Amino acid sequence: KLDVMAAWDLSVTVEDLGPDAPPVTLSVTSELHVGGVILKLVEKTQIKRDWSDHALWWEQKQQWLLRTAWTLEKYGIHADARLLFMPQHKPLRLGLPNGMTLRLRACFSSPVFQTVIGICRMINIRHPEELSLLRPVEEKKKKKDKDLAEEIYDLTEVPLSSVSRPCLYNGMPAHFADTPQMENIYKMLSVTQPLPAPEVIAKQYRPASVVDKAHINGRWLDSSRCLMQQGIQENDRVWLRFKYLTFYDIDPKYDVVRLTLLYEQARWAILLEDIDCTEEEMMLFGALQYHISKVSQSEPQMLSSSAAMDDLESALQSLEVKMEGENFTVLVKLNCVNVCFRPKRLTLKGYKQYWFKFQDTSISYFKSKEESIGEPIQQINLKGCEVAPDVNISAQKFLIKLLIPAPEGMNEVYLRCENEHQYAQWMAACRLASKGKSLADSSFQSEIRSISSFLAMQKSSPGSHGNTPANDESIDTHSLVSPRYHKKYKAKQLTPRILDAYQNVAQLSLTDAVMRFLQIWQALPDFGLAYVVVRFKGSRKDEVLGIAPNRLIRIDLGVGDVVKTWRYNNMKQWNVNWDIRQMAIEFEGNVNIAFSCVTADCKIVHEFIGGYIFMLTRSREKSDTLNEELFHKLTGGHEAL
């Protein structure tokens, strides 16, 4: 018993004494608890200040000693321990999606998941679970750029108490109303940035391939560990980004900052070609950016304008469109490609006309209307399929591309519609069917309207150039579309096309324009895909796994195309074998897959998949309380539990 009570010397470095000060030596016993050590330390330093945010960090074990009732013995601390006494909240430089940098005090001791919640409270972003932190990608630096010090917006003076319970004033957290400088920071957060200069776009990293796109996802921080444990130091730079692209309950009344930063992230994804879109879509994105930047100069704050754009999802839910009976059958004559596996190889075959029937979530086709009473040539269930548009309005091409899950991969089928009215109906029906909803679903009509209005925006309107800007030179096409279009077209070719698309959006309010931009972004076939390079068990080559809000896709780099899709709603269990760093997933129907990760740590991939499954558990009733324990359970593997 004697040796437990024996006193021994413990030395602790106190950050507040300065970098050159020697450690403070305390005489302790193994029975002393951590709180007692802190008490002795504070008495010995004789500094009068508020120590409530301070805690001990154990250098060798890379852990905070936050359980102040635990004894040194319980923690396993001996005389050789290197301990640091320092604040848990330290300044961090935060790169925002709009390219600006905030300096704020972030928590270095709690899991990153909680740190992000604190940051989002400070800058007024709801649903912080959709965001996370990642290590930044270095910009291409030129020699002469050295003197350009970046402008930093400083929030380090905001008291931590006002962050834990922010009170709102005129819709913004009260601490932003304190000084003109603070108001200026809130303006930076809540107003869209002016169009970026072409040289700023050129300086950014642009991924050239799906493998390039995969590298960024190796940079996400681990949500279950704190910043200190991940080597992030005081004043280091990290990026804040939307990570899980399923945006819950967006409401322009409360989500000004959230919407603004989301728009900025979407805009840069399009300008830097992080996500692919068609040429017509790019012109429309350009027109919307032009409009948004124009309107935000005159109408600086986003206002909760028309009810029409209250989050697409909630609009779809509230529209009660009653259909006659479940078996609502659309009888439309469709030209359809012969249904075959990957007809891309058989492009010479052209399209054959069939009589189509849509029933529940399946389509059946027949040689003619007369034969549609009997057995179909084939019936295809669209539940769980991928639906992608292939549309060129000026060429009157209205194709719907369906990727249908099959045991050996994906079957590819194209449906060709005769006009946009027919296309809107069929596209809406296919989208609903892929989610397992039938045409009797209340959202069918609103989905048709949404598709039709999107088509209308891409139309060129001859003779309506009366209300274009007087001097066509005022539009800098280099700031509106991605660099590949400047190689392909001259500015004077791009200007009329962007202004043409601008005709269709010029009447939108700022909020409506931002919401419309986000809706079109969300409707892109590759939206929400985060890529990682993996190696499937039994395979000898690297492949790409795409992680989306509702599914996983497997991309064969040789073919450059999706070869398989797995949906989360068919997932039974998933786990990581940490010894061989391999992830295994089991789906219904005895489907098992296993892969090791090449460009990102297993934990990152596990967290992405578990995180999306967590996002699917959110419901309106519980929307105020965030079930953090469930998040860690779903994302942690057995490590974090």
Side-chain angles (χ1 to χ4, degrees), residues 5 10 43 98 106 121 314 379 396 427 512 530 542 577 602:
M5 295 312 292
L10 177 67
E43 281 167 5
N98 61 8
R121 274 206 195 112
S314 58
Q379 185 178 31
Q396 283 294 296
M427 189 64 178
D512 286 359
D542 286 351
N577 178 336
C602 251

Side-chain angles (χ1 to χ4, degrees), residues 367-401:
K367 275 201 171 138
S368 65
K369 184 178 181 178
E370 292 70 48
E371 295 186 18
S372 66
I373 310 148
E375 282 296 301
I377 299 170
Q378 193 185 359
Q379 185 178 31
I380 307 169
N381 190 347
L382 300 186
K383 194 175 172 184
C385 75
E386 307 271 312
V387 185
D390 185 359
V391 174
N392 181 337
I393 294 179
S394 46
Q396 283 294 296
K397 174 175 112 176
F398 300 102
L399 292 184
I400 299 170
K401 176 179 163 186

Side-chain angles (χ1 to χ4, degrees), residues 115-129 131 240:
T115 302
V116 172
I117 292 176
I119 291 170
C120 288
R121 274 206 195 112
M122 190 182 290
I123 62 179
N124 200 23
I125 296 179
R126 297 190 313 144
H127 298 291
E129 67 275 12
L131 296 93
L240 176 74

